Amino acid sequence: MTETNPAATSTTYADAGVDIEEGARAVDAIKGYVHETYRPEVIGDIGGFGGLFSIAAAKSMADPVLVSGTDGVGTKLKVAQRLGRHDTVGIDLVAMCANDILATGAEPLFFLDYVAVGKLDSAAMAQIVSGIAEGCKQAGCALVGGEMAEHPGVMDPDDYDLSGFCVGIVDRPSMLDPESVAPGDALVGIPSTGIHSNGYSLARKVCIEGASDEELRAPLDELGGMSLLEALLVPTRMYVKAVRSVLEACPGAVRALAHITGGGITENLNRALNGRTDASVALGSWEVPPIVRYVCKRAGLGEDEALKTFNMGLGMILIVDPERVADVKAALKRAGEEGFEVGSVVEGAGVVRYENRGALLP
């Protein structure tokens, strides 16, 4: 009987496509970015089995409520990969989660990320995490941990995917509540920076598929001199600090708010309503960004379809006490944002209506 030599047939983790040493280098490469996001409540450092965060400040709240949210960036990552730029999609990741939990009035406290890659590259990972860290700084939350997972044989070597998890806190008496929305309330919209992170499967299909790199990188007059790839990669706007400053400066003025994401205005603004009210949105009362117009034109979208696909230039809509609109707009301006009165709340059954049909995409 012939014996097999185990040493001659052994297979290492590296042979299977997972480079543990490169993973260690990646952790070292991102530490500085992570530390820049830390708040005083962070306990310890990255590298443990769990992120630690003190909530001692909640003792001063009457009824502290933790608010959590999770999301990803979706196929916008394919645009980043096509352009070869990976330091902005992390901002999108944080914004999609932090802007969501903001809808309750919550303050984002900490964030965790999950990055899946086909083949780990510490330099590329540092770019990705630098964007996540920048997003956390914009939102005022700490990046307390995450996971980098190498998936050889499952993902292409240059492919990656992102998901994130955000936890915030709000005092229950101060929570924004759609039940408080009433006819006569005003709709105050805050501009988006473009498409943000939704609708990219459509945008890629009509704008990128079949196009050459030369075409995609060429400056376009209709995009203000930006290339199509650059315009599509502009990060999602972070609304946390501006809206939180409004809530602090104008207590009780904001009844509810809607983060305009997948489903557009039609299928997000209704989430901030109750069953007794409708939102009446005045089309043409705000500017639609050039990249949004461009994609809608390429796709041949009509108004109804556009309004339930893209944010159409409004990334956040606040429902405001009609007597406090001027105060809210002034507080937004002090925070570096511009608010537009884009409609009002009327009696109804919890749906979004539109006025001035034809004015959105003339």
Side-chain angles (χ1 to χ4, degrees):
M1 181 176 179
T2 303
E3 294 186 2
T4 302
N5 180 358
T9 60
S10 66
T11 303
T12 67
Y13 211 4
D15 292 332
V18 177
D19 191 338
I20 296 175
E21 293 182 357
E22 185 68 6
R25 286 191 288 270
V27 172
D28 288 338
I30 68 175
K31 278 186 175 179
Y33 300 120
V34 174
H35 291 163
E36 290 175 1
T37 73
Y38 279 3
R39 297 167 45 131
E41 301 95 329
V42 174
I43 300 169
D45 201 354
I46 61 169
F49 288 101
L52 305 177
F53 192 95
S54 171
I55 56 170
K59 294 178 181 178
S60 63
M61 293 183 174
D63 186 3
V65 177
L66 292 177
V67 184
S68 59
T70 183
D71 212 332
V73 182
T75 62
K76 186 173 186 176
L77 295 177
K78 293 298 183 181
V79 180
Q81 291 164 17
R82 186 75 181 260
L83 187 61
R85 182 177 179 184
H86 311 289
D87 61 346
T88 62
V89 287
I91 300 174
D92 290 289
L93 181 66
V94 180
M96 293 301 291
C97 298
N99 286 340
D100 267 357
I101 70 169
L102 177 64
T104 63
E107 175 191 3
L109 298 176
F110 59 86
F111 190 86
L112 297 99
D113 63 76
Y114 179 85
V115 187
V117 299
K119 179 64 177 176
L120 190 61
D121 180 287
S122 57
M125 184 61 64
Q127 282 190 52
I128 295 168
V129 176
S130 72
I132 297 173
E134 173 59 27
C136 286
K137 288 190 286 186
Q138 290 183 18
C141 61
L143 180 57
V144 297
E147 170 71 3
M148 295 179 291
E150 200 167 14
H151 291 169
V154 176
M155 303 174 70
D156 291 336
D158 294 331
D159 199 11
Y160 64 91
D161 197 10
L162 305 178
S163 58
F165 314 85
C166 190
V167 175
I169 195 167
V170 64
D171 200 355
R172 189 188 290 266
S174 301
M175 281 181 62
L176 302 180
D177 184 3
E179 281 301 309
S180 67
V181 173
D185 287 345
L187 305 178
V188 176
I190 310 178
S192 69
T193 49
I195 296 181
H196 284 184
S197 297
N198 299 103
Y200 274 83
S201 294
L202 174 60
R204 287 172 51 245
K205 182 176 181 62
V206 300
C207 295
I208 293 181
E209 287 184 9
S212 68
D213 279 353
E214 184 179 6
E215 291 171 321
L216 294 175
R217 295 172 185 269
L220 298 176
D221 290 340
E222 54 262 63
L223 298 179
M226 298 180 74
S227 72
L228 183 56
L229 286 178
E230 289 171 333
L232 286 171
L233 204 58
V234 173
T236 303
R237 200 181 201 113
M238 191 77 68
Y239 298 103
V240 174
K241 291 184 178 179
V243 172
R244 290 274 309 161
S245 69
V246 171
L247 298 179
E248 293 172 5
C250 309
V254 180
R255 317 276 204 206
L257 64 84
H259 180 204
I260 310 303
T261 55
I265 297 173
T266 302
E267 297 182 10
N268 282 286
L269 181 52
N270 63 337
R271 298 163 68 183
L273 302 171
N274 53 55
R276 305 177 303 279
T277 55
D278 285 354
S280 179
V281 178
L283 301 179
S285 58
W286 72 90
E287 290 291 326
V288 178
I291 183 60
V292 178
R293 289 184 181 276
Y294 185 90
V295 174
C296 288
K297 182 178 179 180
R298 291 291 295 267
L301 293 186
E303 256 183 8
D304 284 340
E305 195 66 26
L307 285 162
K308 66 179 182 182
T309 304
F310 300 114
N311 63 57
M312 301 311 297
L314 296 179
M316 188 75 73
I317 299 177
L318 283 59
I319 301 181
V320 178
D321 179 339
E323 297 182 359
R324 306 287 300 281
V325 171
D327 294 338
V328 168
K329 290 171 70 174
L332 282 171
K333 189 171 184 179
R334 290 194 297 271
E337 291 285 7
E338 189 171 7
F340 299 94
E341 198 164 350
V342 297
S344 62
V345 175
V346 297
E347 291 185 1
V351 300
V352 180
R353 311 180 192 176
Y354 296 104
E355 300 175 7
N356 304 331
R357 288 287 188 172
L360 183 72
L361 297 169

